[in-house]
Amino acid sequence: MPGLIQRTELKTFYYTPVHCPFCGVRVMGADPEDETRITACPHTLFIAHDTAFEYRSERLDENLRLNGLSEREIKAKWNEDAGGIDGFTDKISLADAIKVAAYAPAPSAYGSYYGFAPVE
Ligand SMILES: [Zn+2]
């Protein structure tokens, strides 16, 4: 049984662009024309912030049993989690999965979350 996803937090350098630890792809802000564009590599499990998932991989949906649920039902699932989307994605159990949680300083308290795991 793989353990739970390992967490890394960025609190001081929260604005540092996040790259996949397994292949080096910059997953967000790589496109100078559109910095909000997501570039998911094969290792990307999810990209999210406090109010929504920006990207969910099939592996994530399988692991958190979101398959077949509507977007509304998925939102209800992580809304019910005491930790919100951050706490919900802490429950991923895939071998050697890594999550980067980047928190903008108070009073904003805005979080961005990135999940990665190796592929076979
Ligand atoms: Zn990658």
Side-chain angles (χ1 to χ4, degrees):
M1 242 334 243
L4 290 176
I5 194 164
Q6 303 171 69
R7 285 176 59 92
T8 296
E9 296 187 358
L10 300 177
K11 288 178 170 170
T12 304
F13 300 104
Y14 62 91
Y15 47 81
T16 302
V18 174
H19 295 63
C20 170
F22 302 111
C23 73
V25 159
R26 181 169 168 179
V27 291
M28 208 148 182
D31 183 351
E33 308 253 296
D34 179 7
E35 293 200 342
T36 62
R37 201 169 69 93
I38 284 162
T39 312
C41 67
H43 312 106
T44 310
L45 294 174
F46 66 90
I47 298 172
H49 48 79
D50 288 313
T51 52
F53 278 103
E54 297 280 348
Y55 170 80
R56 291 196 331 265
S57 67
E58 217 165 280
R59 286 199 290 171
L60 175 93
D61 281 1
E62 241 166 65
N63 194 250
L64 293 179
R65 299 173 190 281
L66 303 177
N67 281 331
L69 298 183
S70 70
E71 291 304 314
R72 203 165 50 89
E73 288 168 324
I74 289 169
K75 187 164 185 182
K77 272 202 135 186
W78 60 257
N79 259 327
E80 281 161 21
D81 192 294
I85 231 169
D86 195 5
F88 186 62
T89 51
D90 280 348
K91 297 187 172 108
I92 294 165
S93 60
L94 282 164
D96 302 335
I98 294 171
K99 169 173 162 179
V100 177
Y103 301 106
S108 129
Y110 183 85
S112 301
Y113 313 101
Y114 307 85
F116 305 95
V119 285
E120 283 181 39

